[in-house]
Amino acid sequence: MKKINPMKNEKINKFIPFFVLAVVMLWMKTYISQKTQFKLNVDGALQEFLLILNPLGSALLLLSLSLFFKGTRKYVSLLVIYIGMSVLLYANLVYYRFFSDFITLPTLFQTQNFGDLGGSVATLIQPTDFLFFVDVLVLVAVMVATRTKKDKRNFKTKAVLPVVTVALAISFFNLALAEADRPELLTRGFDRNYIVKYLGMYNYALYDTVESLKASSQRVLADSDDGTEVLNYTKSNYATPSEEYFGAAEGMNVVYLHLESFQTFLMNYELNGEEVTPFLNSMINDQNTQYFDNFFHQTAQGKTADAEFMLDNSLFGLPKGAAFITKGQNTYQAAPAILKDKGYTSAVFHGNNGTFWNRSEIYKSFGYDRFFDIESYQGLEEGDMAEYGIMDKPFFEKSAPMLESLPEPFYTKFITVAHHFPYKMDQELTTIEKATTGDSSVDDYFQTARYADEAIEQFFTQLEESGLADNTMIVMYGDHYGISDNHNKAMEQLLSKEITPVENTKLQRVPLFIHVPGMEGGINHTYGGQIDLLPTVLHLLGVETQNYIHFGTDLLSEEHEELVTFRNGDYASPEIYSIGDVFYNPETGLPIEEEQMEQAQKLQEHGSYELQLSDQVVNSDLLRFYTPSEFTPVDPADYNYQANPAEAVK
């Protein structure tokens, strides 16, 4: 009798059930993660359907690549692709827990920061996270269990093409429905949440890669004509300085105190009947201090680096990654270089590694004469170090002689680190109890804020004792939020109110103090953002800014437009807040009336246009084609921070 070959009569390849299992598990895991771990504000049946649908097309398409491999290699390739997609999803999950944002291609190349970020990342990993990879173990177990029964037959191309076609059809159907619900999804706006909500995590990663490569190519294709539109806009948007304040600090030293992670709600806030920031509270009513209570951070993924970038250049940070990392070699007309022509010496003080966030390179492009990083601070003791550098009190104490050694007038910046996520500190150094919400990030936040407040008071005392106080303008600004909206439940307990979209926007306010000896102080309710700091400070110093490309305007000018544009395209103004697709009345917290809709849309178009122009300047490096007549360009090669900081400039 003739033997029958079972493999010959078996029509279904045994790899297919394994492939289907992988697609279904990845699809479900991605959907559940997008639904439960990210705040995507899904609204309505269509958006819910898209959230379910969008992982399927990506999972099917990417895993189908394994079908092109021969023999048992298709099993291994499928597992590798599966693990890669799982790691990408999990990395975004962890990143989102603090930043409320998604990883972009530029952030993946910021590897010089990874060593410094280790402690913060560890606090974001939860014990239950191992469940995220149970499906991977299931897939491995199935592979091991069937190791002697693996189907080695190869798939012909004509058999794979229908799978790829179905995957692409699902993805294009997904895109068509998304465009119907939100027209021009991929071309308008700057909010990554929308891309993930409508198209899914994996399509977002593809979109981000394309956009990042497109931005990188802009510089090569740019020429001098590209800056004409930008220059015309900034000149027409210029705000004439106030006669009362222009030159109020002329000839004075400038000190920026970087209030790490400070939010405006901390001002005059009492925890268990005790002021959290008593010194800063006293400065609100100081006779020589202008305090702005409607001042917003406008940072994106760069956070602190974005804040620095804006205050030194009046250019917006990038929508992806950080200009500090990806645009360090650009041409800039930053504050240190502008003031160098006025006789100023400039310096930055930061008790961390000079390479962190590429500061040791981009500061040269800004024209900073000196950079005092961790290598400049000797005699540090065991308790002097925080996670991101030197604790604020020893930092200010050891910085004092270096500051006093600078030739006057000087323009300086002190970057504090003690009040930085995850807000952990030696309990022997604390002078206020923790909050008791049960959310450790929120509860610890107040102890490090009090410590930072005491350190700032110490700095003011040092300045008085050195004799510099009477001739120094001090600008204190919050760099970004300290508590993200992932912790709003705990914040509702502390603030005793619901955190609505409007209230959440108000929590993006950060304190701004401008202290000038002899200048009339007061509480200023003007709406403004970090983009406005440079022209404000330069006008106080008596430096005209009309010929510079600045996207902010003087906060003290009567012509200042009270529109704060956020990096995702939303905005805040005294009458209207734009949040997502909805325009709100900031007083009532309700959507605006129909008669305000035209005004709301005009403000949004204005803000989006401004972001577009600023990105064009940064991505195309347009300042290399334009030099104001009163400005001396910077040559980064003239600076060497590896040498003695006191002799950094050639």
Side-chain angles (χ1 to χ4, degrees):
M1 181 182 287
K2 187 177 180 181
K3 262 188 170 180
I4 297 174
N5 186 340
M7 283 296 291
K8 192 173 181 180
N9 292 335
E10 190 174 9
K11 294 182 180 180
I12 299 178
N13 192 308
K14 290 180 180 179
F15 181 73
I16 293 177
F18 185 70
F19 174 78
V20 171
L21 174 65
V23 170
V24 171
M25 287 198 303
L26 186 61
W27 175 21
M28 289 296 98
K29 176 169 75 173
T30 306
Y31 165 68
I32 293 169
S33 298
Q34 292 179 171
K35 177 71 175 176
T36 63
Q37 301 300 311
F38 307 127
K39 294 183 178 179
L40 299 177
N41 299 317
V42 176
D43 183 21
L46 177 58
Q47 291 185 11
E48 187 65 56
F49 174 70
L50 287 172
L51 196 67
I52 296 172
L53 179 66
N54 61 49
L56 176 58
S58 303
L60 188 59
L61 180 63
L62 292 173
L63 292 178
S64 69
L65 297 177
S66 64
L67 299 173
F68 291 99
F69 286 80
K70 295 180 179 180
T72 57
R73 284 184 292 177
K74 56 180 173 285
Y75 289 87
V76 176
S77 61
L78 184 140
L79 185 61
V80 169
I81 296 169
Y82 194 98
I83 292 173
M85 295 175 75
S86 296
V87 169
L88 174 64
L89 183 61
Y90 180 68
N92 274 279
L93 185 154
V94 173
Y95 188 83
Y96 195 89
R97 283 173 180 165
F98 179 68
F99 293 105
S100 295
D101 201 353
F102 301 97
I103 295 172
T104 64
L105 190 63
T107 62
L108 292 176
F109 291 99
Q110 293 166 191
T111 53
Q112 63 264 56
N113 294 337
F114 288 175
D116 301 85
L117 292 171
S120 291
V121 172
T123 65
L124 299 173
I125 297 174
Q126 301 172 0
T128 56
D129 285 356
F130 78 92
L131 295 172
F132 189 86
F133 293 100
V134 167
D135 56 322
V136 176
L137 298 178
V138 169
L139 215 56
V140 171
V142 172
M143 276 187 63
V144 172
T146 60
R147 65 183 181 276
T148 59
K149 301 177 183 178
K150 288 189 175 71
D151 201 324
K152 298 181 180 179
R153 289 178 295 170
N154 302 324
F155 290 96
K156 294 181 179 179
T157 302
K158 65 179 181 180
V160 178
L161 286 180
V163 180
V164 175
T165 302
V166 170
L168 290 173
I170 292 172
S171 296
F172 282 117
F173 177 62
N174 182 171
L175 179 60
L177 289 179
E179 281 285 337
D181 195 55
R182 185 175 174 81
E184 300 178 331
L185 172 66
L186 300 179
T187 56
R188 70 170 180 149
F190 303 87
D191 196 335
R192 284 174 283 278
N193 279 281
Y194 286 112
I195 306 296
V196 174
K197 177 169 69 173
Y198 283 106
L199 301 182
M201 176 58 64
Y202 309 116
N203 285 327
Y204 155 73
L206 176 62
Y207 164 81
D208 170 65
T209 300
V210 172
E211 289 297 301
S212 296
L213 293 174
K214 189 192 302 182
S216 298
S217 67
Q218 280 184 241
R219 188 183 192 281
V220 178
L221 301 174
D223 59 37
S224 58
D225 293 337
D226 294 331
T228 303
E229 182 182 5
V230 176
L231 188 59
N232 289 340
Y233 172 80
T234 55
K235 281 185 174 293
S236 65
N237 200 50
Y238 171 76
T240 305
S242 159
E243 290 185 8
E244 178 183 358
Y245 292 106
F246 186 77
E250 187 170 0
M252 289 188 182
N253 302 312
V254 180
V255 171
Y256 269 105
L257 294 183
H258 173 99
L259 306 181
E260 171 65 46
S261 300
F262 264 81
Q263 292 172 246
T264 297
F265 83 86
L266 274 175
M267 302 301 100
N268 289 319
Y269 182 82
E270 294 187 0
L271 183 66
N272 301 321
E274 188 175 358
E275 287 182 285
V276 178
T277 56
F279 179 72
L280 288 177
N281 294 345
S282 71
M283 291 300 295
I284 292 174
N285 300 308
D286 181 82
Q287 63 179 354
N288 298 134
T289 301
Q290 284 274 335
Y291 169 66
F292 294 80
D293 60 0
N294 283 313
F295 183 76
F296 293 78
H297 84 86
Q298 296 167 286
T299 65
Q301 290 185 324
K303 293 297 185 287
T304 294
D306 281 356
E308 286 193 68
F309 189 74
M310 281 185 277
L311 73 90
D312 273 338
N313 296 282
S314 195
L315 298 170
F316 285 97
L318 294 174
K320 304 178 183 71
F324 261 47
I325 301 292
T326 60
K327 306 298 178 184
Q329 303 304 318
N330 273 15
T331 297
Y332 294 103
Q333 294 159 13
I338 293 172
L339 291 174
K340 195 186 300 291
D341 288 329
K342 308 297 180 183
Y344 276 75
T345 301
S346 55
V348 179
F349 298 80
H350 185 33
N352 200 337
N353 296 323
T355 56
F356 192 45
W357 284 104
N358 199 38
R359 287 187 172 98
S360 58
E361 293 304 316
I362 199 166
Y363 284 165
K364 297 174 184 176
S365 297
F366 288 177
Y368 274 105
D369 296 321
R370 297 162 194 177
F371 178 22
F372 299 93
D373 68 356
I374 186 67
E375 299 298 325
S376 304
Y377 294 82
Q378 306 300 318
L380 294 171
E381 299 178 2
E382 185 178 346
D384 290 342
M385 298 303 296
E387 182 143 2
Y388 289 91
I390 306 172
M391 292 288 286
D392 296 351
K393 290 180 182 180
F395 170 61
F396 284 133
E397 179 183 353
K398 292 182 179 296
S399 296
M402 291 184 273
L403 177 67
E404 292 168 26
S405 71
L406 294 176
E408 297 184 62
F410 51 69
Y411 173 90
T412 58
K413 178 168 54 180
F414 289 80
I415 304 173
T416 62
V417 300
H419 186 49
H420 193 295
F421 179 84
Y423 314 115
K424 300 294 183 184
M425 68 181 298
D426 186 341
Q427 290 301 295
E428 292 184 3
L429 300 176
T430 63
T431 56
I432 191 172
E433 294 297 318
K434 297 181 180 182
T436 55
T437 67
D439 184 323
S440 61
S441 293
V442 175
D443 294 347
D444 295 343
Y445 181 79
F446 299 92
Q447 290 190 325
T448 50
R450 164 62 73 82
Y451 175 88
D453 182 76
E454 293 170 349
I456 294 163
E457 182 177 18
Q458 171 192 311
F459 178 83
F460 270 75
T461 301
Q462 290 175 193
L463 214 59
E464 289 281 354
E465 292 173 349
S466 69
L468 291 171
D470 292 339
N471 191 43
T472 300
M473 169 168 64
I474 301 175
V475 181
M476 298 184 285
Y477 74 103
D479 63 340
H480 54 74
Y481 63 76
I483 300 175
S484 72
D485 55 14
N486 291 319
H487 304 278
N488 277 353
K489 289 297 180 185
M491 289 297 294
E492 287 178 344
Q493 295 181 45
L494 293 170
L495 301 179
S496 300
K497 60 183 176 183
E498 181 186 1
I499 307 298
T500 63
V502 166
E503 290 299 329
N504 190 66
T505 298
K506 290 180 179 178
L507 282 174
Q508 307 315 306
R509 291 180 296 182
V510 294
L512 173 64
F513 300 83
I514 301 179
H515 173 81
V516 179
M519 181 184 76
E520 182 180 355
I523 299 176
N524 195 316
H525 303 304
T526 298
Y527 269 63
Q530 292 161 332
I531 200 77
D532 301 311
L533 267 176
L534 179 57
T536 305
V537 168
L538 289 179
H539 286 174
L540 283 167
L541 293 173
V543 178
E544 183 52 75
T545 64
Q546 189 169 14
N547 292 327
Y548 288 96
I549 292 178
H550 293 163
F551 287 92
T553 58
D554 186 346
L555 291 165
L556 297 168
S557 168
E558 293 182 2
E559 297 175 7
H560 169 72
E561 183 177 13
E562 295 189 81
L563 173 65
V564 183
T565 301
F566 300 115
R567 187 58 263 194
N568 66 356
D570 290 348
Y571 67 80
S573 72
E575 299 85 20
I576 302 169
Y577 282 8
S578 170
I579 307 168
D581 284 330
V582 183
F583 299 113
Y584 292 91
N585 181 319
E587 296 299 322
T588 66
L590 300 173
I592 61 172
E593 301 295 333
E594 186 61 35
E595 56 265 25
Q596 286 184 285
M597 191 60 70
E598 184 179 352
Q599 178 193 2
Q601 291 172 341
K602 283 183 178 179
L603 290 174
Q604 188 165 56
E605 289 170 4
H606 177 81
S608 295
Y609 182 58
E610 196 165 71
L611 289 172
Q612 175 190 327
L613 291 181
S614 179
D615 288 348
Q616 190 176 339
V617 171
V618 179
N619 286 321
S620 300
D621 193 11
L622 292 184
L623 294 180
R624 63 192 157 127
F625 299 123
Y626 170 72
T627 304
S629 57
E630 64 275 24
F631 179 76
T632 303
V634 167
D635 183 354
D638 289 342
Y639 303 86
N640 178 17
Y641 301 137
Q642 300 303 316
N644 182 340
E647 302 171 353
V649 185
K650 288 182 181 178

